[in-house]
């Protein structure tokens, strides 16, 4: 994977810089790393069962580092760690080998959800699977296709909106590492799944969003009509509910309905508790128009104390919609009640 | 919608009056407002994809008012505000225009879940969308059919058991307005969905049910064999689990199975956290008989302190089942432990 | 059911004894009680709608007793109560008559989730349905097949991973009885469902797993390739998320996919809140190999304080995998942070 480009533009960071001069220093934006290759899933028919393609193995080096403000992060280059860490995207069937370089003076690890790994790649001190300070260690994550099982039932595959996190910094459970930013998104796509135009990782970690609180949560930006993917992850010690204004999705594997008779519940608010994750795609502003749309934890005391951000849907040509700048200014300046 | 009748009898209020003389003053029952019209969904085949009918626009005036006990409520006539507010029911494809009259001296708004609205109807101070004291403002909620999307997936429609609430009283998040009663149910039915005989809105709002605690939670009543719809909504700062004795439902869009192979989990207990909602229909007493059935939060400390009520399934002829009055008397009189 | 054998070996208890000499005294293991009979569901085609077999009635006597350490338990013989209580397994369509003998000096009851019961078998003091100290009382739990309902929708049947618990000890909600161990798993299988090789009940009850905390949570053991069923139940006053390392399942009725197009979300971490339950089967070590795999609450402060255990996947021949004993030793000895 060396030499691959980050697939998605870091639009939120650039835009935030240009618009949000009041933003805290040290704003970090996730970097998307895709191994999906040139053949877009969207261009192919939706997969049924095992696709014909063979699994590939991708290798990536990840650097764990200290960040300003007492944070820790994972990054794809030395000095480039972010919170959340990079998004890892692979095809179901593929394998990802992560060479984790520990550039900190604390023991730490990387532990994934949803994929396959043996005990040596578990990332848990229980299995002696972690990096000592300064140590480099390789973790291997493989994936399975869904397959027919007993009695006509099927055994689930690895496709899904997953995540990864430290499991060793500060305790055998990685509590300190997670609290301080060692987490990120992991997307395993099934052949036929839809690839988005933009992608955002939103982590409800204790009383923060991506270890930030309003008004410092980075603005998430897209243009009207773009296909935007949200990957939502929960961490820490509190329960949360993720709410996005004016957009909805199906509470299933993809966020889309599998067909017109898919019985899945459609939601615009979903529980997001520690260790859980989900993802979905929306057409930005579909049926509702552009504007500054809130996303926030719907636990009232949590949104009041800062678990709130803005999904800015610009006009189709990228210009600012009427009223959006005023909304952003309110977000940046407003703290009190009425 | 002016001049339309409330579709459902206010049976719980009348019955409670006749039975529960110990009930607190100021008991308020939700008023159901339906725009479904004479053609019952139940009389038609289940819809697949976009139905042939064209969307209609319905207009309703809603009055926000102060209520005794420090509460606020929405109502369909001046002086008739309730907690929860009226149930709004529309067809998927329809539009609802709500003229909100603010008869209070506080700023407030109305913000829906699940449906479409532009920034002007967002109900959020962020988008300058709220009513100043004494102000009247119109909010427009439209709906979408599910439709074929990329890669053979389908984009979800608006049908669902949703809800609405204040987003402006006391803060930019409506925390005080919600805490004091400004919330209600919003049902968007798909052509072919089943219309109930009775309908109840149950809101777990902080440590209350509909801002009441046992033994003041209104009794929910139906006759054996009636089709009863529950709309469950979560609000506030606490996590909850809704449990109904002796009845179960599917945890999907409708609460029914879509067919014999629908994989949905069947439940009689479901998480009900802030901003979340779900609905389902049961045949009252089906397979279990009439009686006083408990519904309660299953978080033990919550049920102990008052998040508990009674779903009274009367005999088919409306008479009281053996033992039910004794159960109700226990509910009304009993507070201590054993 | 008298005279029937417990279907599953008590492997966890025996194994723990042989391995875990440091384990606390009074470790109790659940006893599986099956009424499934000789004709394994796995040997039959998956049921569609109502199967041809007729419902049977099974009778079992259950003894509620005090246990050391201030606990209470249900058991199938006097002096054999356990925490959790026995697993009850029946076919959808069957009826289970439970003769509950209260060998304690406290009032108590047994209340099931998911199945049918009339008010006399409700297990709630509200319905005068409980055992006084020393009293014997029969509770009848019946089940329903799924069936076609209105508009082409289907009404859910009783099949599912359910549970039962006290509803009377200490209060009308059974709060003290549940806190002290009066709970267990109830499995209602549909014709065609898959029967496991091993079965474990994992109850997140307040800040414990089965009223134990690490390192006293019994090791759950299986051999590589065995079909292992987890039944997860939540109780008490806290919210939790159940996470199992290196294995995943579908978040639906069975944990398997109904077929290759089942849209269900695949998970390895799931909310497990009071009154909720779910179940699933995994092939032990499938795609990941044998070893000591963690299962724990993913709420960080909960795993830190003891909501953590080990799912030991032995080699296919039952021998210990490399490194597993070391991992178990770490689990037994390790308490502090790093
Ligand atoms: Cu929150
Ligand atoms: Cu509660
Ligand atoms: Cu927990």
């Amino acid at each position: 994977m060396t030499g691959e480009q980050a697939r998605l533009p870091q639009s939120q960071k650039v835009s935030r810089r240009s618009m949000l001069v009041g933003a805290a220093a040290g704003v970090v934006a996730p970097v998307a790393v895709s191994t999906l290759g040139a053949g877009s899933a969207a261009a192919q028919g939706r997969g049924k069962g095992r696709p014909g393609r063979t699994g590939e193995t991708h290798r990536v080096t990840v650097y764990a580092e200290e960040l300003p403000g007492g944070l820790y992060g994972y990054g794809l280059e030395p000095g480039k760690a972010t919170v959340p860490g990079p998004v890892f995207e692979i095809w179901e069937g593929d394998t990802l080998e992560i060479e984790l370089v520990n550039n900190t003076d604390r023991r730490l690890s990387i532990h994934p959800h949803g994929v396959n790994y043996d005990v040596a790649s578990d990332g848990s001190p229980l299995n002696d699977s972690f990096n000592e300070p300064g140590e480099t260690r390789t973790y291997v994550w493989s994936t399975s296709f869904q397959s027919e099982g007993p009695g006509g039932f099927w055994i689930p595959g690895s496709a899904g909106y997953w995540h990864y996190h430290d499991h060793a910094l500060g305790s055998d459970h990685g509590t300190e590492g997670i609290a301080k930013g060692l987490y990120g998104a992991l997307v395993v796509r099934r052949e036929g799944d839809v690839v988005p135009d933009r992608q955002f990782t939103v982590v409800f970690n204790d009383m923060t969003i991506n270890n930030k609180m309003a008004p410092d949560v980075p603005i998430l930006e897209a243009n009207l009509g773009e296909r935007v993917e949200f990957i939502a992850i929960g961490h820490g010690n509190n329960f949360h509910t993720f709410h996005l204004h004016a957009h909805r999705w199906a509470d299933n594997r993809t966020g889309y309905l599998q067909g017109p008779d898919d019985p899945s519940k459609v939601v615009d608010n979903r529980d997001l508790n520690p260790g859980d994750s989900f993802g979905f795609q929306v057409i930005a502003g579909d049926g509702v128009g552009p504007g500054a749309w809130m996303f926030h934890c719907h636990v009232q005391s949590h949104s009041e104390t800062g678990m709130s951000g803005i999904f800015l849907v610009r006009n189709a040509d990228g210009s600012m919609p009427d009223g959006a700048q005023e909304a952003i200014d309110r977000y940046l300046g407003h703290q009190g009640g009425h």
Side-chain angles (χ1 to χ4, degrees), chain A:
Chain A
M1 202 158 67
T2 309
E4 283 196 17
Q5 297 287 331
R7 188 170 51 81
L8 302 175
Q10 282 183 264
S11 57
Q12 66 274 38
K13 188 173 184 182
V14 175
S15 302
R16 185 172 174 84
R17 272 188 184 147
S18 57
M19 287 193 310
L20 308 184
V21 290
V27 169
V28 286
V31 177
V33 173
S34 174
T35 70
L36 297 182
S40 160
Q44 309 175 25
R46 197 164 85 218
K48 309 286 182 192
R50 184 189 177 100
R53 67 194 299 280
T54 56
E56 293 171 11
T57 295
H58 307 274
R59 292 178 187 80
V60 63
T61 301
V62 175
Y63 302 85
E65 305 190 324
E66 276 198 77
L67 291 169
L71 297 179
Y72 289 80
Y74 299 109
L76 296 170
E77 298 176 51
K80 297 284 181 68
T82 56
V83 177
V87 180
F88 296 115
E89 284 189 55
I90 56 175
W91 287 105
E92 199 177 47
D94 289 357
T95 293
L96 186 60
E97 292 188 10
I98 293 188
E99 184 184 54
L100 178 65
V101 181
N102 182 2
N103 283 337
T104 81
D105 58 1
R106 305 290 299 277
R107 85 169 193 189
L108 51 76
S109 73
I110 190 164
H111 166 78
H113 281 239
V115 294
N116 304 334
Y117 46 86
D118 66 14
V119 287
S121 291
D122 185 27
S124 75
L126 182 90
N127 280 314
D128 200 27
S129 171
F130 59 86
N131 297 50
E132 294 286 4
E135 189 186 3
T136 294
R137 184 186 178 103
T138 298
Y139 299 82
V140 181
W141 304 345
S142 64
T143 57
S144 302
F145 298 111
Q146 59 182 9
S147 58
E148 188 157 4
F153 289 101
W154 280 58
I155 296 172
S158 301
Y161 290 100
W162 305 103
H163 62 109
Y164 62 89
H165 60 85
D166 170 62
H167 209 304
L169 199 159
S171 83
D172 291 353
H173 298 279
T175 300
E176 183 183 345
I178 293 169
K180 293 185 169 174
L182 289 172
Y183 52 75
L186 168 61
V187 180
V188 181
R189 297 201 194 274
R190 179 163 297 162
E191 192 139 17
D193 281 356
V194 181
V195 175
D197 300 314
R198 308 250 179 184
Q199 185 182 56
F200 300 112
T201 302
V202 176
V203 184
F204 282 12
N205 187 23
D206 281 327
M207 298 297 280
T208 76
I209 300 178
N210 296 4
N211 277 64
K212 301 200 171 302
M213 299 175 74
D216 296 329
V217 179
I219 308 278
L220 311 181
E221 295 193 36
N223 293 340
L224 186 69
E226 285 186 317
R227 188 174 294 136
V228 178
E229 181 169 80
F230 286 81
I231 310 164
I233 301 166
H235 271 306
N237 298 308
N238 296 98
F239 86 99
H240 303 287
T241 56
F242 172 92
H243 175 46
L244 174 61
H245 280 221
H247 298 78
R248 62 186 165 261
W249 65 95
D251 188 16
N252 58 15
R253 181 181 70 84
T254 61
Y256 288 107
L257 298 171
Q258 192 80 1
D261 289 321
D262 184 334
S264 298
K265 195 164 181 300
V266 177
V267 299
D268 67 1
N269 191 93
R270 189 188 184 280
D271 292 347
L272 184 54
N273 293 329
D276 196 9
S277 59
F278 62 92
F280 61 89
Q281 296 175 6
V282 294
I283 305 301
D286 189 31
V288 299
W293 296 110
M294 298 179 78
F295 67 94
H296 59 86
C297 182
H298 215 299
V299 179
Q300 295 297 137
S301 58
H302 296 191
S303 53
E304 292 289 353
T305 55
M307 296 190 72
S308 183
I310 289 180
F311 172 40
L312 174 61
V313 179
R314 290 173 173 265
N315 295 319
D317 64 2
S319 60
M320 280 291 273
D322 287 346
Q325 188 62 56
E326 291 82 348
I328 291 167
D329 290 344
R330 280 182 209 107
Y331 174 75
L332 292 176
H334 187 76
Q335 298 293 350
H338 281 83

